[in-house]
Amino acid sequence: QVQLVESGGGLVQAGGSLRLSCAASTSTSGFTMGWYRQAPAKQRELVAAMFSGTNAYVVDSVKGRFTISRDSAKNTVYLQMNNLKPEDTAVYYCNARNSRWRPGNTEYWGQGTQVTVSS
């Protein structure tokens, strides 16, 4: 069982920055790590992912503003969020999938951390 704990959320004004952290109970070397978010009354959506080998991906809506990174020694994945917008308001979740994950396979979720961006 992999435990994931997010932290770093908070309330900021538009244009501000936050850095989210996801601390894993085990090494994440064999996992694809992702950040998802879920706004009220909306589906959970992928924001960014860090694949094995440190290959990173972010969705178009946050490209140029958000950066995903990892510190393997600390079993931690980060999401640096700059120039935050009100539409970024959501609960942000850390996710871990085995690098060979397929539908139906086990995946792991953190408890979520609230990010609120005021205008």
Side-chain angles (χ1 to χ4, degrees):
Q1 184 75 19
V2 178
Q3 294 180 330
L4 305 171
V5 180
E6 304 98 331
S7 61
L11 192 157
V12 298
Q13 292 193 130
S17 297
L18 287 172
R19 186 165 89 149
L20 307 183
S21 298
C22 172
S25 60
T26 62
S27 171
T28 59
S29 297
F31 293 87
T32 296
M33 305 299 298
W35 284 100
Y36 289 73
R37 66 187 181 188
Q38 187 168 19
K42 292 187 177 181
Q43 296 279 73
R44 192 170 298 186
E45 63 176 353
L46 176 69
V47 178
M50 176 68 70
F51 304 97
S52 298
T54 70
N55 192 13
Y57 168 83
V58 296
V59 298
D60 288 344
S61 60
V62 304
K63 192 172 297 181
R65 300 189 297 120
F66 291 11
T67 303
I68 187 170
S69 62
R70 75 196 305 166
D71 186 337
S72 296
K74 297 181 179 179
N75 296 335
T76 301
V77 178
Y78 304 96
L79 185 68
Q80 179 66 47
M81 305 186 295
N82 297 326
N83 191 24
L84 283 160
K85 303 176 180 180
E87 52 262 44
D88 296 319
T89 295
V91 177
Y92 283 71
Y93 297 91
C94 185
N95 171 269
R97 293 175 173 179
N98 185 275
S99 60
R100 295 185 176 182
W101 183 92
R102 295 291 185 272
N105 290 168
T106 300
E107 61 184 333
Y108 304 93
W109 295 94
Q111 83 290 345
T113 184
Q114 176 71 48
V115 172
T116 302
V117 184
S118 65
S119 58

